Amino acid sequence: QVQLVESGGGLVQAGGSLRLSCAASGRTFSMYAMGWFRQAPGKEREFVGSISRGGLMRYYADSVKGRFTISRDNAKNSVYLQMNSLKPEDTAVYYCATNGDGNWPPHEYAYWGQGTQVTVSS
């Protein structure tokens, strides 16, 4: 069982930046590929990006490529989502997730955090 807790969300003006954090439980975090997702009201949850267990490989959705950066600190059992040049359409609840293994690219996400709200004003 893996438990994930997101933090760092808030209200920001268009063009601004936020950094989201995801703290994970367990001693085997460094073995897990991780993903970030988001869900806006009335919309399906969508993929944002993912990072391999060692942090060397990253995938991003086209909508955030060049603006968002995923990183991780395995010594702190944490992954991060740095969000720059934010747009109103980035407004959503953001979730971190993992499949609990190191498969790359991730094919399944079995564990999810509770989410953190990001609101971007125009």
Side-chain angles (χ1 to χ4, degrees):
Q1 184 74 18
V2 179
Q3 295 194 136
L4 306 170
V5 180
E6 302 95 336
S7 61
L11 175 64
V12 64
Q13 292 186 350
S17 298
L18 283 173
R19 189 181 76 156
L20 306 184
S21 299
C22 174
S25 66
R27 298 186 300 161
T28 57
F29 174 78
S30 64
M31 302 298 294
Y32 301 160
M34 302 292 297
W36 283 97
F37 293 77
R38 65 187 183 185
Q39 187 169 25
K43 298 182 65 177
E44 293 291 311
R45 184 174 296 170
E46 66 173 332
F47 171 78
V48 173
S50 57
I51 186 168
S52 62
R53 63 186 187 180
L56 297 179
M57 300 295 295
R58 300 176 178 89
Y59 286 166
Y60 298 99
D62 287 343
S63 59
V64 306
K65 194 174 300 180
R67 299 188 298 121
F68 291 10
T69 303
I70 298 173
S71 61
R72 68 190 298 159
D73 186 342
N74 287 344
K76 296 182 178 179
N77 272 28
S78 296
V79 296
Y80 307 97
L81 182 66
Q82 178 66 48
M83 305 184 294
N84 299 326
S85 301
L86 282 162
K87 305 174 181 179
E89 50 262 47
D90 295 319
T91 295
V93 177
Y94 283 71
Y95 300 87
C96 64
T98 184
N99 59 1
D101 59 43
N103 291 341
W104 187 257
H107 66 281
E108 182 180 344
Y109 293 93
Y111 305 100
W112 297 79
Q114 85 288 348
T116 186
Q117 176 71 48
V118 172
T119 303
V120 184
S121 62
S122 60

